[in-house]
Amino acid sequence: MLSLRSRRLLFSRWCRYTHWEFWPVWLFYIPIVFYIFWLALRYRGATLFSIANPKMDFGGIFGDDKSNTLEPLASALPASVPASHILNASTNSEQFLQLDLTYPLVLKPNNGYRGTNVAIIQDEASAVSYLKKHSQQTTLLQEYIAGEEFGVFYIKPPEQEKGFIYSIVNKKFPSVTGNGVNTLETLILQDARAVMMAPTFLQRHSQQIDRVLVKGEAYQLVDVGSHCRGALFLDANEYISEKLSDAIEQLAKAIPEFHFGRFDVRVDTIDNFKRGQNIKVLEVNGVTAEAAHIYDPKNSLFYAYKVMFKQWDWAFKIGKKNKERGFKPVKLKKILQRWLQA
């Protein structure tokens, strides 16, 4: 529960800050949904996008199991993915502790999305607590990879030998810096960006909000590269290069019939990212992934819709080509059933 002072400060910030990036998710997607309806008429197929990646379950509309999408990479290019284990609902704490683990590590749902229930685990007790809390889900345990995080959106028309990088987003983790006077709560509420996620940050760091940070002390508010968890998404299209494109092409070719989606990756330095070196793939997302650079605060709403409309046009165009190659789109009824179960 926010204090009265917190609610007043939060309300004043909301009144002054109206960038579309912080709109409710459903509101932003309304025009995109109508555009998808129009594309369905234009390409004469309501669900052509479901075979943009014909070897992925539903083309990646709802997110294939993360372990399944990473498995081809792990087989062909083992150095490109973090070490991982699948923990089923039947895995108990004792079996988990028998694994050869190094902390920190990452635990997340094997078929989750938008950063839901993703956690950076620092010790054994936290790991056991996480597994007990999420005992009904199939959990993917991954080696923690430090460094810079990027989302690289890749598109490859089936008739072409090579694809191209459509978008790059650099995911930054916001922090506040102490001044020796203010508490963490006040620093969050006074920060022009952090205040937009204040309820989330204050709850997440509830044990620390009354602590006064010493002058110059940096306090990281986010540790997961998800926009809805508070990560800052920056346009990084300037990093597109021939070397990086070749590295991403190699990753894409390791995944059967992968034509359209985003690689979420970490790399030790930006220079190595530009060179296409030391890249570790955390996740591979299919047809409903986004060219997430649009969320950079510098980008306008008009620009965001332009990019998203073009992205969905590619999804239908690739789906049409794949249908001509013999792949069958998923029926709309099945998609709606899956959506209701998600």
Side-chain angles (χ1 to χ4, degrees), residues 174-283:
S175 63
V176 292
T177 303
N179 56 14
V181 177
N182 292 330
T183 63
L184 176 61
E185 178 185 30
T186 301
L187 292 172
I188 290 173
L189 295 169
Q190 289 181 344
D191 186 271
R193 182 177 180 83
V195 70
M196 304 310 297
M197 295 286 291
T200 297
F201 291 154
L202 294 177
Q203 181 179 13
R204 184 181 303 159
H205 303 283
S206 59
Q207 302 299 315
Q208 301 288 327
I209 60 173
D210 292 324
R211 182 162 74 85
V212 175
L213 274 63
V214 300
K215 188 173 182 179
E217 178 185 358
Y219 188 97
Q220 187 170 304
L221 300 171
V222 179
D223 57 8
V224 175
S226 170
H227 194 254
C228 64
R229 294 277 293 270
L232 175 62
F233 282 14
L234 299 179
D235 187 330
N237 286 332
E238 64 189 274
Y239 297 152
I240 297 176
S241 66
E242 184 176 350
K243 289 183 178 180
L244 177 60
S245 296
D246 288 344
I248 297 301
E249 185 69 29
Q250 185 181 22
L251 295 173
K253 285 188 180 303
I255 305 173
E257 293 288 351
F258 184 74
H259 299 278
F260 184 93
R262 192 184 69 231
F263 294 94
D264 288 337
V265 307
R266 281 202 176 182
V267 62
D268 50 357
T269 67
I270 290 179
D271 285 340
N272 275 337
F273 178 70
K274 294 177 183 178
R275 290 190 287 261
Q277 298 176 347
N278 298 341
I279 292 175
K280 292 279 192 177
V281 181
L282 307 181
E283 293 184 9

Side-chain angles (χ1 to χ4, degrees), residues 58 61-63 111-113 334-342:
F58 287 77
I61 297 172
F62 303 99
N111 59 356
Y113 58 96
K334 286 188 175 181
I335 292 177
L336 292 174
Q337 289 175 339
R338 180 72 171 266
W339 177 68
L340 290 173
Q341 294 170 359

Side-chain angles (χ1 to χ4, degrees), residues 75-333:
S75 297
L77 303 166
S80 69
V81 297
S84 63
H85 298 275
I86 287 292
L87 307 175
N88 295 315
S90 60
T91 303
N92 59 40
S93 301
E94 191 171 306
Q95 292 171 318
F96 170 78
L97 296 175
Q98 290 176 356
L99 298 174
D100 184 17
L101 303 175
T102 300
Y103 295 92
L105 52 80
V106 180
L107 293 177
K108 57 187 174 183
N110 193 36
N111 59 356
Y113 58 96
R114 290 186 176 274
T116 303
N117 292 339
V118 177
I120 310 298
I121 303 297
Q122 300 294 338
D123 52 50
E124 184 178 291
S126 298
V128 172
S129 176
Y130 178 97
L131 293 174
K132 286 182 178 179
K133 182 177 181 181
H134 304 288
S135 60
Q136 300 306 308
Q137 73 179 25
T138 299
T139 297
L140 177 63
L141 181 157
Q142 279 187 329
E143 168 193 8
Y144 176 76
I145 305 297
E148 294 281 341
E149 186 164 339
F150 294 91
V152 183
F153 203 104
Y154 169 87
I155 294 176
K156 179 188 174 297
E159 70 277 14
Q160 295 183 14
E161 181 62 26
K162 293 183 65 175
F164 62 91
I165 296 175
Y166 182 64
S167 158
I168 301 179
V169 61
N170 189 189
K171 303 178 182 183
K172 294 291 189 180
F173 303 144
S175 63
V176 292
T177 303
N179 56 14
V181 177
N182 292 330
T183 63
L184 176 61
E185 178 185 30
T186 301
L187 292 172
I188 290 173
L189 295 169
Q190 289 181 344
D191 186 271
R193 182 177 180 83
V195 70
M196 304 310 297
M197 295 286 291
T200 297
F201 291 154
L202 294 177
Q203 181 179 13
R204 184 181 303 159
H205 303 283
S206 59
Q207 302 299 315
Q208 301 288 327
I209 60 173
D210 292 324
R211 182 162 74 85
V212 175
L213 274 63
V214 300
K215 188 173 182 179
E217 178 185 358
Y219 188 97
Q220 187 170 304
L221 300 171
V222 179
D223 57 8
V224 175
S226 170
H227 194 254
C228 64
R229 294 277 293 270
L232 175 62
F233 282 14
L234 299 179
D235 187 330
N237 286 332
E238 64 189 274
Y239 297 152
I240 297 176
S241 66
E242 184 176 350
K243 289 183 178 180
L244 177 60
S245 296
D246 288 344
I248 297 301
E249 185 69 29
Q250 185 181 22
L251 295 173
K253 285 188 180 303
I255 305 173
E257 293 288 351
F258 184 74
H259 299 278
F260 184 93
R262 192 184 69 231
F263 294 94
D264 288 337
V265 307
R266 281 202 176 182
V267 62
D268 50 357
T269 67
I270 290 179
D271 285 340
N272 275 337
F273 178 70
K274 294 177 183 178
R275 290 190 287 261
Q277 298 176 347
N278 298 341
I279 292 175
K280 292 279 192 177
V281 181
L282 307 181
E283 293 184 9
V284 181
N285 299 284
V287 73
T288 49
E290 293 179 329
H293 75 282
I294 62 173
Y295 294 108
D296 189 314
K298 75 178 183 182
N299 290 329
S300 68
L301 180 62
F302 176 80
Y303 174 80
Y305 281 131
K306 180 181 177 181
V307 171
M308 290 295 291
F309 289 170
K310 188 176 180 180
Q311 174 186 319
W312 276 100
D313 190 56
W314 271 114
F316 273 86
K317 189 181 299 184
I318 291 172
K320 182 180 179 182
K321 287 288 184 180
N322 282 334
K323 183 180 180 182
E324 293 170 356
R325 295 170 63 217
F327 293 103
K328 295 183 179 181
V330 180
K331 292 182 179 180
L332 182 60
K333 181 180 179 180

